[in-house]
Short mmCIF file of all heavy atoms in Angstrom, two decimals:
data_model
loop_
_atom_site.label_atom_id
_atom_site.label_comp_id
_atom_site.label_asym_id
_atom_site.label_seq_id
_atom_site.Cartn_x
_atom_site.Cartn_y
_atom_site.Cartn_z
N GLU Q 352 -6.69 2.47 -18.29
CA GLU Q 352 -6.21 2.49 -16.86
C GLU Q 352 -5.06 3.45 -16.69
O GLU Q 352 -4.71 3.71 -15.54
CB GLU Q 352 -5.77 1.09 -16.50
CG GLU Q 352 -4.41 0.64 -17.01
CD GLU Q 352 -4.45 0.13 -18.45
OE1 GLU Q 352 -5.40 0.36 -19.21
OE2 GLU Q 352 -3.48 -0.56 -18.82
N LEU Q 353 -4.52 4.01 -17.75
CA LEU Q 353 -3.41 4.89 -17.60
C LEU Q 353 -3.82 6.35 -17.79
O LEU Q 353 -4.88 6.65 -18.26
CB LEU Q 353 -2.33 4.59 -18.71
CG LEU Q 353 -1.75 3.15 -18.79
CD1 LEU Q 353 -0.82 3.07 -19.93
CD2 LEU Q 353 -1.10 2.77 -17.46
N GLY Q 354 -2.95 7.27 -17.26
CA GLY Q 354 -3.20 8.69 -17.50
C GLY Q 354 -4.12 9.37 -16.56
O GLY Q 354 -4.53 10.53 -16.80
N HIS Q 355 -4.57 8.73 -15.45
CA HIS Q 355 -5.48 9.38 -14.55
C HIS Q 355 -5.25 8.72 -13.23
O HIS Q 355 -4.63 7.69 -12.99
CB HIS Q 355 -6.99 9.21 -14.97
CG HIS Q 355 -7.43 7.82 -14.97
ND1 HIS Q 355 -8.17 7.30 -13.88
CD2 HIS Q 355 -7.37 6.76 -15.87
CE1 HIS Q 355 -8.49 6.03 -14.09
NE2 HIS Q 355 -7.97 5.71 -15.33
N LEU Q 356 -5.83 9.36 -12.16
CA LEU Q 356 -5.66 8.87 -10.79
C LEU Q 356 -7.06 8.49 -10.26
O LEU Q 356 -7.22 8.36 -8.99
CB LEU Q 356 -5.04 9.94 -9.89
CG LEU Q 356 -3.59 10.24 -10.18
CD1 LEU Q 356 -3.12 11.36 -9.34
CD2 LEU Q 356 -2.74 9.04 -10.00
N GLY Q 357 -8.04 8.35 -11.09
CA GLY Q 357 -9.38 8.00 -10.60
C GLY Q 357 -9.55 6.49 -10.44
O GLY Q 357 -8.63 5.77 -10.42
N ALA Q 358 -10.86 6.15 -10.24
CA ALA Q 358 -11.18 4.74 -10.02
C ALA Q 358 -10.69 3.87 -11.28
O ALA Q 358 -10.85 4.35 -12.40
CB ALA Q 358 -12.70 4.54 -9.87
N GLY Q 359 -10.08 2.77 -11.04
CA GLY Q 359 -9.61 1.91 -12.09
C GLY Q 359 -8.27 2.29 -12.61
O GLY Q 359 -7.90 1.71 -13.62
N SER Q 360 -7.57 3.23 -12.04
CA SER Q 360 -6.29 3.59 -12.56
C SER Q 360 -5.20 2.55 -12.24
O SER Q 360 -5.39 1.71 -11.32
CB SER Q 360 -5.77 4.96 -11.95
OG SER Q 360 -5.29 4.73 -10.63
N ALA Q 361 -4.14 2.63 -13.02
CA ALA Q 361 -3.07 1.62 -12.81
C ALA Q 361 -2.09 2.02 -11.68
O ALA Q 361 -1.18 1.26 -11.35
CB ALA Q 361 -2.27 1.48 -14.12
N GLY Q 362 -2.30 3.19 -11.07
CA GLY Q 362 -1.45 3.54 -9.98
C GLY Q 362 -0.16 4.16 -10.36
O GLY Q 362 0.79 4.04 -9.62
N ASP Q 363 -0.11 4.84 -11.53
CA ASP Q 363 1.07 5.57 -11.97
C ASP Q 363 0.90 7.02 -11.59
O ASP Q 363 -0.12 7.71 -11.97
CB ASP Q 363 1.30 5.43 -13.46
CG ASP Q 363 1.47 4.01 -13.92
OD1 ASP Q 363 1.47 3.08 -13.06
OD2 ASP Q 363 1.59 3.78 -15.10
N LEU Q 364 1.90 7.64 -10.88
CA LEU Q 364 1.75 9.07 -10.51
C LEU Q 364 3.08 9.72 -10.37
O LEU Q 364 4.17 9.05 -10.28
CB LEU Q 364 0.94 9.18 -9.23
CG LEU Q 364 1.49 8.48 -7.95
CD1 LEU Q 364 2.52 9.38 -7.23
CD2 LEU Q 364 0.30 8.21 -6.99
N CYS Q 365 3.02 11.03 -10.44
CA CYS Q 365 4.23 11.90 -10.29
C CYS Q 365 4.01 12.92 -9.22
O CYS Q 365 2.89 13.46 -9.17
CB CYS Q 365 4.61 12.65 -11.57
SG CYS Q 365 4.95 11.57 -12.95
N VAL Q 366 4.96 13.25 -8.37
CA VAL Q 366 4.84 14.22 -7.33
C VAL Q 366 5.83 15.30 -7.72
O VAL Q 366 7.03 15.13 -7.80
CB VAL Q 366 5.33 13.63 -5.96
CG1 VAL Q 366 5.24 14.71 -4.90
CG2 VAL Q 366 4.36 12.40 -5.63
N TRP Q 367 5.23 16.50 -8.03
CA TRP Q 367 5.97 17.66 -8.50
C TRP Q 367 6.15 18.73 -7.44
O TRP Q 367 5.11 19.26 -6.90
CB TRP Q 367 5.28 18.23 -9.74
CG TRP Q 367 4.95 17.30 -10.84
CD1 TRP Q 367 3.79 16.62 -10.93
CD2 TRP Q 367 5.77 16.98 -11.95
NE1 TRP Q 367 3.85 15.83 -12.08
CE2 TRP Q 367 5.08 16.04 -12.72
CE3 TRP Q 367 6.97 17.42 -12.38
CZ2 TRP Q 367 5.57 15.45 -13.92
CZ3 TRP Q 367 7.49 16.80 -13.59
CH2 TRP Q 367 6.79 15.90 -14.32
N ASP Q 368 7.33 19.07 -7.09
CA ASP Q 368 7.61 20.03 -6.06
C ASP Q 368 7.35 21.48 -6.67
O ASP Q 368 8.02 21.84 -7.66
CB ASP Q 368 9.05 19.93 -5.55
CG ASP Q 368 9.30 20.87 -4.38
OD1 ASP Q 368 8.56 21.80 -4.11
OD2 ASP Q 368 10.33 20.55 -3.61
N VAL Q 369 6.41 22.17 -6.13
CA VAL Q 369 6.18 23.57 -6.59
C VAL Q 369 6.41 24.59 -5.60
O VAL Q 369 5.86 25.72 -5.56
CB VAL Q 369 4.70 23.70 -7.15
CG1 VAL Q 369 4.52 22.77 -8.40
CG2 VAL Q 369 3.72 23.31 -6.05
N SER Q 370 7.28 24.29 -4.63
CA SER Q 370 7.54 25.17 -3.49
C SER Q 370 8.78 26.03 -3.64
O SER Q 370 9.09 26.91 -2.80
CB SER Q 370 7.65 24.34 -2.18
OG SER Q 370 8.79 23.55 -2.23
N GLY Q 371 9.52 25.92 -4.75
CA GLY Q 371 10.77 26.63 -4.95
C GLY Q 371 10.62 27.93 -5.63
O GLY Q 371 9.48 28.32 -6.05
N VAL Q 372 11.73 28.63 -5.87
CA VAL Q 372 11.69 29.98 -6.49
C VAL Q 372 11.18 29.93 -7.88
O VAL Q 372 10.63 30.89 -8.48
CB VAL Q 372 13.06 30.68 -6.45
CG1 VAL Q 372 13.37 31.04 -4.95
CG2 VAL Q 372 14.17 29.80 -7.06
N ALA Q 373 11.40 28.74 -8.61
CA ALA Q 373 10.95 28.67 -9.99
C ALA Q 373 9.42 28.82 -10.13
O ALA Q 373 8.85 29.19 -11.13
CB ALA Q 373 11.44 27.37 -10.59
N ASP Q 374 8.73 28.47 -8.98
CA ASP Q 374 7.28 28.55 -8.88
C ASP Q 374 6.82 29.72 -8.03
O ASP Q 374 5.57 29.81 -7.78
CB ASP Q 374 6.68 27.28 -8.43
CG ASP Q 374 6.95 26.12 -9.37
OD1 ASP Q 374 6.16 26.03 -10.40
OD2 ASP Q 374 7.85 25.34 -9.13
N ALA Q 375 7.69 30.53 -7.61
CA ALA Q 375 7.27 31.70 -6.76
C ALA Q 375 6.43 32.61 -7.56
O ALA Q 375 6.69 32.95 -8.73
CB ALA Q 375 8.60 32.46 -6.28
N GLY Q 376 5.33 33.11 -6.95
CA GLY Q 376 4.44 33.95 -7.60
C GLY Q 376 3.46 33.36 -8.53
O GLY Q 376 2.61 34.04 -9.14
N VAL Q 377 3.47 32.01 -8.69
CA VAL Q 377 2.56 31.34 -9.54
C VAL Q 377 1.21 31.23 -8.87
O VAL Q 377 1.10 30.66 -7.79
CB VAL Q 377 3.12 29.89 -9.88
CG1 VAL Q 377 2.05 29.06 -10.54
CG2 VAL Q 377 4.32 30.02 -10.75
N ALA Q 378 0.17 31.71 -9.48
CA ALA Q 378 -1.16 31.82 -8.96
C ALA Q 378 -1.88 30.43 -9.03
O ALA Q 378 -2.62 30.06 -8.18
CB ALA Q 378 -2.00 32.83 -9.63
N ASP Q 379 -1.56 29.68 -10.07
CA ASP Q 379 -2.20 28.37 -10.34
C ASP Q 379 -1.13 27.34 -10.45
O ASP Q 379 -0.44 27.21 -11.45
CB ASP Q 379 -3.07 28.47 -11.58
CG ASP Q 379 -3.81 27.13 -11.90
OD1 ASP Q 379 -3.43 26.09 -11.27
OD2 ASP Q 379 -4.57 27.12 -12.82
N PRO Q 380 -0.92 26.52 -9.40
CA PRO Q 380 0.22 25.62 -9.46
C PRO Q 380 0.12 24.45 -10.53
O PRO Q 380 1.12 23.96 -10.95
CB PRO Q 380 0.25 25.02 -8.04
CG PRO Q 380 -1.10 25.20 -7.49
CD PRO Q 380 -1.60 26.49 -8.08
N VAL Q 381 -1.17 24.16 -10.89
CA VAL Q 381 -1.30 23.17 -11.97
C VAL Q 381 -0.90 23.70 -13.31
O VAL Q 381 -0.11 23.12 -14.03
CB VAL Q 381 -2.71 22.68 -12.01
CG1 VAL Q 381 -2.95 21.72 -13.15
CG2 VAL Q 381 -3.14 21.96 -10.63
N ALA Q 382 -1.34 24.95 -13.62
CA ALA Q 382 -0.92 25.63 -14.81
C ALA Q 382 0.57 25.90 -14.81
O ALA Q 382 1.27 25.82 -15.80
CB ALA Q 382 -1.70 26.90 -15.07
N GLY Q 383 1.02 26.17 -13.60
CA GLY Q 383 2.52 26.44 -13.47
C GLY Q 383 3.37 25.25 -13.75
O GLY Q 383 4.56 25.40 -14.06
#
Side-chain angles (χ1 to χ4, degrees):
E352 78 277 17
L353 302 179
H355 67 96
L356 294 176
S360 78
D363 299 356
L364 60 85
C365 300
V366 179
W367 307 89
D368 189 340
V369 295
S370 64
V372 292
D374 292 282
V377 169
D379 180 350
V381 177

